[in-house]
Each structure stands twice: as structure tokens, then as C-alpha cells.
Amino acid sequence: MAAGDHHLRLGSYLGDVSALSFLPSSPRPLLLAGTYLPLPPIPIPIPTLRSRSPTRRVHAGTGSELLVYDVDAARLLASFKVFDGVRVHGIQPRGSPPADGLTVAVFGERRAKLLRLRVDAGDDGGAVGVRLELEQRLPGFDHWVLDAGFLEVDGLLAIGLSDNSVALWDLTERVFVTRVNSPEKCLLYSMRMWGDSVKSLLVASGTILNEILIWKLVPWTLSSSLLCTDEVGAPAVENRENVRFSGNRYMAVHIGRLKEHEGSIFRISWSSDGSKFMSVSDDRSARMWMLSCQPQNFTNQAANIDNVDIIPKLTLFGHSARIWDCYISDSIVITAGEDCTCCIWDMDGKLIKMFKEHIGRGLWRCLYDPSSLVLITAGFDSAIKVHHLCNSFHDILEEKVVPDGLKYESEVFEISSPIVSGQYGPLDSKSEYVRCLHFVQENVLYVATNSGYLHHADLSDTNDVKWTDVIQVTEKAPIICMDVMTVHPDSLDKKDIVALGDGHGNVTIVRLTSGNIEPKVDLSFIWSAEKDRQLLGIYWCKSLECSHIFTADPRGVLKLWNIRNALYSNAHALTASQEVSLVAVFESPFGARIMCLDVSLQDEILIAGDKKGNIVAFPFHKTLAAHNSSGTQQKIPFCDRFKGAHGISSVTSVHITTSTSDDAQIHTTGGDGCICFFKYGRYVNNVEFVGMRQLKDLGTIQSIYADHVSDTQLVGTYAIGFTSADFVIWDLGNDAKMVQISCGGWRRPYSYYLGTVPEYQNCFAFVKDHSIHVRRHWAPAQDKKLLPQVLHTQFHGREVHSLCFIDPASYSHHEKSTNLWIATGCEDGTVRLTGHSASNAGRWCSSKMLGEHVGGSAVRDTCFITKTYTLIDKSCNSSGSSGNILVENEETTFLLISVGSKQVLTTWILQPRIVENRQVCSGGRDLDSKQSAECSDNGDSAVTFQWLSTHMPPKLTTNRLKAVHVKQNFEEGNSSAQPNLAIMDQMENDWRYLSVTAFLLKHPATKLTVCFAVVACSDATVILRALLLPSRLWFDVALLVPQASPVLVLRHIVDASSACSGDDVGNGDRYIIVSGSTDGTITLWDLTDTIHGFMQLVSETQPHMVIDCQKRPKTGRGSQGGRRRWRSLANNSVKKDSKQTLLPTENDLNASCVAAESSHEISGLEENEVITTTEDTTSSSYSCDVPEVQPMQTFSGVHQSGVNCLHVSEMERACPTTGMSSYCIISGGDDQAVQCFVFTLGSPQQSCSMNKASLNSPANGALTILSQHTVPSAHGSAVKGIWTDGVWAFSTGLDQRIRCWKMDPSGKFMEHSHVIISVPEPETLDVHHDRGRGKYHIAVAGRGMQMVEFSPRKDDSMEAA
């Protein structure tokens, strides 16, 4: 390295975890973990169970680091860098730790080290300090290390190598004793050893030829040439002075060769006694093998070994992809695969449970402790998840799996109401059957039937269920709906108030109190709420307590009834029913049945969701809930509506969270498997979409359960729903499946009940075959400690293609913040916001998912917009302005833009506000790790993004209908016009966006802000689009031509250097786009006239006044996602001719506005049809009506192949001759070169026509090249990321190096230092310059992400400047 490389400091790596190990005999459970290597897929050993005590202190390895976790506290105790540029592949602790610490063998690639881990325990047994010391460094090997094991009897360390050999290291003398090669010399994918001495050592090798070789070491006193081989390149391993051990030499003797697998052997695992082992393979199978005799009976005589047989015992199929890891014990088998599933099997081959809680490329490792039933999994997504099998799968595990002292509190039983019991066969409308179920506590269930009966079931004794007939509604009408509210649930005066709605439109209220033997009916009354068969829903509302109740009919009408006087009166039923009064009527504009509702008295708002996915907001004045609100009924009009909140799927639940801000927070769930977040403005009375979270594992979400220990502290949130025919409880905080029960789906009657600790307290009942099936797991919460489910921060499960820093200036209280936030885009279509804590030893502290691109399309590039420029209109004669452009410092809008496959462009807006702890989820983002509290404590939870808009092309490609045709149809009143069916048959293309750059420009007169985004597509087109804020309207502004090759990278320059030169429009602001193409060309475009023309057009026509906008994104699961409008500037071209700018005519844009305005008059299905037609015909991304802009300058052959990365920066020193600002463009390509040139921009008159030039030409009209410099072999492989600020430059490539370059004012640069990173196949790089602390934070991502810190010396920075 260069002399100054001590300024580069490697930070933590966030990526796939592949090495897991329990720390034996620790006072508290600890975990060790490590990271997976890309290719070849070499497995990692798990500690032998015989040497493990029943503790759960775990080690983990990630990158070159060793992590130590306290499992019970879910706390990272310490992290240590073990190797330099070598990733950790395996961890093996040494038996019981001595008083002076535990010896741990850590290996990776061809390296192995012995480390001593010392844990200082506190008074409560918790670790207060962890230290790691280097004990022994083994010499380098000539092959990769696949396994390591301590032979305690002989004081040796056995090292298994990928050439099918075993090396023995003397732990005392610190020398190699011998190295024994198997006669079968072949490369291995896996090796596992078993035994505590050389005499008992068994070796199982998984070859690349789909075979498993079982062999062991036996003594041999013949020629030393047969003992070991002098491998070329491995002199450090062989030591002929130490080839003897106990007077014997050793040779390999084969026990068996197994050929049953049809793919490479990825993993082998021995049982604790060595009598059997498991193997998993590329063929998606797991096989169990058994030895014919116990390994303890083996002798060192080859003759006796020949009598050993290996018997195939079991073959398991159940994974849909390759299996990476396995575990075997005397009672269960566990497998983990590339399909991100972990399967638990019994010893007969029966699949006990399959769960999938990781994401991405695969689940690499599983670790199990049979003494405590703790299962730990880790995979590509960086998450380390803890499962307690006693909790998660208690209802199906065999009793023999359960260790002594552990008891399951799980019950599965069937019950049947006395009247329904004994009925079989087909049912009709007059048959007696169960219609409704409702749990009020774990042992009380209410059952309503088709004949109007209400039953109370006491489930305290499952063998003797006590049934009580509560009531039968009049005329034996069927009970259609039921809701129950419990009053004073924690006191002795607990009462259940049951509301029943029957088929005749009557509502029956029953008040029950708990008796000594059976419940007692205190009061019941009935009144007519609707006509026959018109009462479909009845709802209590917690905020109104039991004084008011809602009823719903099929036409979207809600009625609010005041029952307080009737409920608490002492009169008989007839008199009580007369005291029920209708207070208000709420009628939905959509005319669909209301399915759910919620009321906030503080915000005075009622939110209702209907069967067609819409939500409606009604004003709800506090007088409606007053005790004396029994006057004349009121018809309350709606104040706002949101069409298609859940597409065309039913809204299943609504919840309003009151906040201290001006907005009330709302979250809804629906049949589309999404949780949607809205905010309701108290003063503007409108509902605005904020964000969305989609749970792919749930087909429909019925409700959200939030567990609060207080009004302000949230413990956990859970989604309750169904997937196919199974009932599922999903932990949203840990992104883990808690409960899954096969029940036949959500259409049959069901009910659930969750306790204070849902992991251990949950009940579910459903109806099947005339019986009520109950599954109840109820353990005393005080006797069970809730295990946190996620130890390590969860990240993307696939390759990261782009990242960008979120400018700390956009944070709330950024002056107090010590965290940095990074937005990343991934191959799986997700965009995440990840926090890096500088105060917490430089660790990754949390990762939140912002959202997902439509259909999961891959994200290729991201862009964060930090500045908003204000355009000065000179017609206003503002004397306070000296130019055309100013940088706005107050009320700045911050946007995040991501682009990717299927030409999807998604925009998020930063909401710098403090997120309250009372919120269930904020803005659709989930905190994937409970360690995120480390970031939240600093107030950085205020970094919150809200979804703003999603831009997608139409499905039609070339011969689509023109926009003018649709406008004619609207103007002629033909609202049913449909596009040509032949054109509709064309399939959507597979083009993808490769890069994006954007900036914000504000018009002072109209107060409108326009986001100009330039996107490059894989079809070699580059287009300028405009997003009009806050109306969210998209316009196609210009097409940047010509392009012979696809553009890989885009950057922009906003030049305000001449803004102060006077009133000449030619010396105003400049908007320059820079691109790098696959043919090595760098091109510059001048978009100044185009942007000015569009801003003037928008100020004159104001299209946001008449055109509707998109309200929520599509989910890719059939959800329509509300309405959306994309507009191109039809027949509006901006042409350059004799310095004249021809502005688009006002009438052309007004035609679009008239067409959009007429669509508001259409309702229902016709409205959706017309909207779809307009969308598919007017949103031509590359229409011939879009004006074309020619390049101002093209530099060919800058790189010999593609320009992979490019960055633009303004130099600190202006041009010495002209005094104008100079800019630096630095680029990297597939040719491994880094290219840099410094230039100044010419006048706009000189950039009217395209100029082709080379970097060797000093003056090219449009710009002047001041200097140029090239480093031909900057990296050992393709350069993938680069950044510069004109003083320092940083680059990364496929050689896994970050190189720091020192630049001088002329643009010349030289390497200052470099460092090897842990990220395999890096693809992108970004840098944040912390000027206050004088540091550069470098983030690089690919298969994972890593942070590197660079602290230049002051003299270095001054010299470079």
C-alpha cells in the first residue's frame, strides 16, 4: 500500500452470514457468526454437539469479522477483524473454556488462526466485556480449509483441506505433525470430521463428482514417502522433522464410497455419537446414512475397518432448490436451502415443519441447540434469526424432541354446539349451522348459529366444555353478524356486551356478567335497524365505548345508534328498545358495503373501508358521541374519499392513530395482502396516501395487532391474515412467521385471540365439517422469556446495484445526528434505507424497506436530490435578484428517485419529522431488526420517506393510438372508446432503465416545483421527464438524441457561474447532462432552453388545476392502485433555430387538460375503463411528438469499452484565464482505466449544434478542455464505481479494492492508498464528505455493503487544494 494508507479504515460489512457457532459453557447464551464465500460454495462447520453445553452464546462471522452475540438480550457484544482481505468461512470452539478464556479456531480460504476469547461476566451473568487475542497463527495452506476440529485426547488440531487431505497441528509445540492425503485425489465441495482423537477420527468428503468418501487415519510404520506428499507450494505445511507422532505414522484407509447423490455434495453433518451422518446436495435431496457399528469400536487395524458397512437410511425431498446446510440428532433432522426455507423432519422422513423467513439468494446456515430447542438460521440477507421450536412449532413436534423440564402449553381439539351436533350431509337455508365465532379471552368463545341461537362456550377444560344457551333472537332469524365488546376486562366486574344482527334486519344487544358456574344475562333488547336481508354488518368502536354502535347495509350506508340509555337502564326489554335512537347516517359515494371503520374523537374523523377497496372519510363531531345525542338524526356528507386504496380487493380493517402533528395517521389492511398508510389533514380535511407495505407471504391481511405495554411504548406489531388455506400470524417487527394453521381459508367462520405475549399466547378457532376446531397455545407470560427473533440487521437478499447517501442536511436535528443513512436498490426490486452509526463503533444499526418496484422489477440506479433551485422570472423585474437561478435554502424538498427493469421510475419524498413510538408502522416501512433502537435513540427515526409517484410506460409499444385520437373521443362525448384489440395483443417490452439523474426547479410565481429527471433506457434512448409537484403529474419533455449505444451512467451540471453577469438571457443558468455509454463514449447535452420553455408553459397553462394524478402505486398483484395520469407534450416542440426558442402553444396543452377534465364526469366501471384507455394511449415515452435535443459535445473512445461509472464535480479553483467555474469529469470503465478531464463551459450560442471531438482537443466550442489525465490500469479488473470532489477521488472495481486518488488543481491524480474490502463483486460506490469532522465516508455495495472511512491529513488536503 501507499504510505498514506493508514488513513483508510475499514468499517463493518453488511452481507451474507455463513459461519455460526454456539459458545460452550458460557454464563449467558452467546453466538459467533461469519460470512459466506461466493464461489465455490464451500460449507462451514458447526460445532460438534457433544462439546456443547446447554447455553446459547453464539459467534458469527461476516466479511473478515467475528461477531459475538448475546442471544437472550439480542445484543451484539463485540466484533473483531480476524483476517485482512480474507472472509471468515468457519468457526470451531474448543470444548469447555478454561478459566483464562476459550480457544476458537477460525478459518477462511487458505488461512486458519487460533484465537483466545475472553468474556468478562457481570453480577447478573451478562457479559460486560469481550476480548479476543491471537493465540496461534497457522502457516498458509495450498488448498482451501473446509473443516477444523480439536482432537482433545491427543492435543491436536485437525485441518481438513479441499484436496481431500487432513493436516494435524500440535497445539503445544505449534508445529505440523503430519499431513495425510487420501488416495482419492479430487477436489471437494465439503468435508466434515468427527472424533476427539486420531484413533477415532472419521472423515467424510463430498466431492465434485457427486460422491461421498468415508475414510479414516490408521498408523503405518513403512516408508515416509507413503505417509504424506511434498505438495508444490506448500512447504510451510510439511515439516519432515515432525512427521512422527507417538511413534507412528498415518495413512488413509477408505471405509466406503457413496454414489446415491446426483449432484455435488454441499454439506455433511455428523450426529453427536458419530453413528450416522447427513449429506445434502445440488440434487435438492438430503440423505441419512448409518454406520453398521459404533465408531467407538473402531480400531486402528485396517482389517477390522473393512467389515464396516454404510447403510442408506433415509432420503428427504422437500426443497425447491439446492440444499446448503443440514443438522442431525437422535430425534430430528434440519435442512436449509437456497429457496430460503428451513425444513424440520422427524427420523422417519416426515416433514414436521417448513418455514421461510429469509429473503434472497438462499439460507446458508442453520444451528440448533437440542437442550433449549433454539434454532438459529442465517443467509444471504445478512439476518441472523432465532427460533424457539418449543414456541413456534409446539403443536407438531414429537414428544421425544422435548427435553426434560420443558412443557408445551398447546392444545388442539374439536367442539360442537349442542344444537349443531349430530348434523351431517348437505345444508340448506333452514339448516342449523355455525355462522359466527368470537373469542373474548383464551377460554371463552361465543358461537352464533343459523337458527338465531347465541351460545357461550367455556373452554377451561377441553375434555368437558361447558355450553350455555344465552339467547335466541325472535322468529328464529339467522344471525348474520356479531361483534362483542368487553367492559372492565381486568376487574371482577367484567361484562361482555354482545351485538347480534339477524336476517330480518333486527339488532339484538345482550349484556352478560361472569357467574360462578355460567354467565348470566343481565339485559337484552332488540330494535329494527334495516329491512329484511339488508343488515350485513354491526360494529363496535373502542373510542365510542359501548354507548354507540354502527350498522351497515349492502349499499354503503352506515347508521350510528345511541344505545347508552337503553344499555344502562333498569327497564324491561321493550322499554329499553324504545330508548335506542338513530343519531347519524353516513352514506358512501361508492355505494359499496362498508366492511370496517374507526373513529377518532380527538381528530373528529370517521374512516370507513368498503368491499371494493375504497376508503371514505366523514366528519365526526364530538357532539355525535355525547350522552344526550338522541335528537334528530343527521345525514353526514363525506369530506374526502380515496378510490382504490386496496385496488379492487376488500378493505378488511381501519385504524386511526392520533398524533401531535397536524395530521392523523391511518393504516388499513386489505385482501390484496397490503398494509396501506395514509394521513388525514385536520385543517385541509383530505386523505393522502403515505406508503405501503406488501406482505408476499400473506394473500389477505385481516387486521393488525399492536402490543403496547403503555400508551407510548410499542412492544411489537403483528399481521393477522391468510395465505391460501392457512391462517397466519406474522411478526412485522422481525419479519417472521409466528403461527401457521391449516384451516381451509378465510371464507369460513373463524376467530382469534392474542395475549400480552402473542408468541406464547394465541388462540384460533374455525368451523369445518359441522365442528369447531380450536388450536390454543397459552403459556404464562411471566414464565416465558420472549426471545428476540432477529440478531443481525436484515439487508437485501440479492445483489445491490445502486446506492446513494442521504444528505445529513435533510435530517431532522441533523446537527445532533451521528448516523448516516444510505438508500440502496436491489435486484429483487426493493429499495431500502440503511443506517450506519458512527457513535456505535461504526456499526450498521438498522435497515428499513422503503418499498418495492412494481412486480418486483430490479432496481438499477438511485438518485437523491438535495437542492432545489429557484428560477427567477425577469418579467417580474425583481430588483432583489441578480441572476436567473438561486439555490433555495428554506423549505427545500428532498426527493429520492429509483429506476429499474420494466422502465419503472419511482419517487419518494423525504418527510423530516419525528416518528412517534405509538405508530404501528411508519410510512410503510418496517424496522427489520430490534437493534434499530440504537439509531432511534438519536432521533434519526425522523429520516422518513413517503412514496410520491410511480411512472411506468404503457403496455403498447410502437403502433399505439395517438393522444389526439383519445382527445377527440372525449370532446365528442364518446366515453367508451377502446384501443385497437390488435394493438393490445402486443406484449410489453423487456426494456429497463439503466441510470437516472435529476434536479428540482421551483417557479416563484406559481409556487410550483418541477423535478426534471433524465433516464437512460437499455434501448439506447435517453429522455427528459418532468414531475410537477405537488400534483404528481408526469410530462415527457424531450428526447436526447442520437445514441448509438445504451447509456450506463448519467450525471448533471447546474451551472450558475454566469448568473450574476447581467440581464442577457444568454448568460443565465445552464443545465448540462453528462452520459457514459457502452461504447466508451461520453456525451454532453445542454437542456437550458428546453427547461426554460417547459417552465414558462407550465406557468401559463397550470395543468395541475384540471388533471388528476396518481394516488398510490400498483402492487403487481391485481391491485389497480387508484387513478394515474401521464402526459406528454403532444405537438409541443422546443427547437433551436437562430437563438430563438419556440415555446409550445397553450392550446395544445389545454387540449390534454380538457380531456382529463371530462373524465371526472364518468363514474363507476366506465370511469375505470376511460382512465385505462387514456393511460395506454397518451403516455408514449418516446412518441414522435416529443421534441428532440441534439448533443452539445460528444467524446468518442474515452474508454476502450463501456463507461461503467462517472462522476462530475466543480473544481475549487476557477479557470485562471476566464475566471469561470471549471468542472471535473472522472470515469471508469471495463478497460480497468480511470479517466479524468477538467473543462469550462462555453457560451450557450456555441452549443447549438453537435460537436464530435476527442479529449486531446483543448477547445471544442461548447466547452474548453483545460487538462486531461488517464491511469490505464487503475484496477486489476473492471472499474464499477467512482466519485470525486475535485480534491480526492475514490474508485472501486471487481478486484475488491477501494483506491484513494490524490488530485491536483490541474486534474492530474495519483494513487494515495488502497484497501481490500469484503464485498464480493462490488457494483457501485458513493461518498459522503463530512466537512465538519474532516472525514470521507465511502460506501461500496454489491453482494452486501461495507463502509470505509478516510481521514486525510490537513497537509495532504491543503497540498491537493
Side-chain angles (χ1 to χ4, degrees), residues 1046-1254:
V1047 170
L1048 295 177
V1049 58
L1050 288 169
R1051 294 293 183 266
H1052 71 271
I1053 302 173
V1054 178
D1055 181 25
S1057 60
S1058 57
C1060 58
S1061 59
D1063 294 334
D1064 186 2
V1065 72
N1067 293 327
D1069 54 295
R1070 302 282 299 279
Y1071 307 95
I1072 308 298
I1073 300 298
V1074 185
S1075 70
S1077 306
T1078 57
D1079 59 356
T1081 299
I1082 293 179
T1083 308
L1084 289 83
W1085 283 275
D1086 189 348
L1087 303 181
T1088 305
D1089 293 342
T1090 304
I1091 291 175
H1092 283 176
F1094 180 83
M1095 294 295 290
Q1096 181 175 346
L1097 175 65
V1098 169
S1099 65
E1100 294 174 354
T1101 59
Q1102 298 191 11
H1104 61 283
M1105 302 299 295
V1106 292
I1107 302 180
D1108 195 7
C1109 62
Q1110 182 182 1
K1111 294 186 176 181
R1112 61 149 280 182
K1114 290 185 177 181
T1115 61
R1117 297 175 62 177
S1119 176
Q1120 301 302 308
R1123 295 186 287 183
R1124 60 177 190 166
R1125 299 288 185 198
W1126 313 133
R1127 288 289 177 269
S1128 60
L1129 293 178
N1131 300 321
N1132 302 329
S1133 58
V1134 179
K1135 300 180 181 180
K1136 299 180 179 180
D1137 186 11
S1138 302
K1139 307 180 191 177
Q1140 299 293 328
T1141 302
L1142 301 180
L1143 299 177
T1145 62
E1146 180 177 349
N1147 293 332
D1148 291 333
L1149 188 55
N1150 283 338
S1152 300
C1153 301
V1154 172
E1157 187 177 11
S1158 64
S1159 66
H1160 290 278
E1161 302 174 0
I1162 305 169
S1163 61
L1165 182 59
E1166 290 185 354
E1167 181 183 23
N1168 290 334
E1169 292 175 351
V1170 173
I1171 289 170
T1172 304
T1173 304
T1174 307
E1175 171 189 336
D1176 290 343
T1177 56
T1178 63
S1179 58
S1180 170
S1181 297
Y1182 316 120
S1183 170
C1184 59
D1185 299 328
V1186 178
E1188 297 180 354
V1189 178
Q1190 300 293 329
M1192 64 176 289
Q1193 198 75 52
T1194 299
F1195 298 101
S1196 301
V1198 177
H1199 290 274
Q1200 298 178 9
S1201 55
V1203 181
N1204 294 329
C1205 50
L1206 180 148
H1207 196 265
V1208 181
S1209 176
E1210 184 176 359
M1211 303 295 289
E1212 291 190 357
R1213 295 183 181 180
C1215 177
T1217 57
T1218 63
M1220 299 177 63
S1221 297
S1222 59
Y1223 296 90
C1224 167
I1225 295 180
I1226 188 168
S1227 60
D1230 285 334
D1231 57 358
Q1232 307 175 15
V1234 171
Q1235 180 77 244
C1236 176
F1237 63 96
V1238 180
F1239 64 95
T1240 58
L1241 293 172
S1243 62
Q1245 295 89 337
Q1246 295 176 312
S1247 58
C1248 294
S1249 60
M1250 180 180 65
N1251 293 291
K1252 293 185 177 181
S1254 64

Side-chain angles (χ1 to χ4, degrees), residues 343-374:
C343 296
I344 303 175
W345 316 76
D346 63 14
M347 301 306 291
D348 297 328
K350 178 183 177 182
L351 179 62
I352 299 177
K353 189 66 179 179
M354 173 189 292
F355 57 91
K356 180 178 181 180
E357 295 174 359
H358 291 264
I359 58 175
R361 293 285 183 193
L363 199 162
W364 302 143
R365 293 293 163 253
C366 61
L367 182 64
Y368 181 65
D369 182 12
S371 62
S372 57
L373 299 184
V374 170

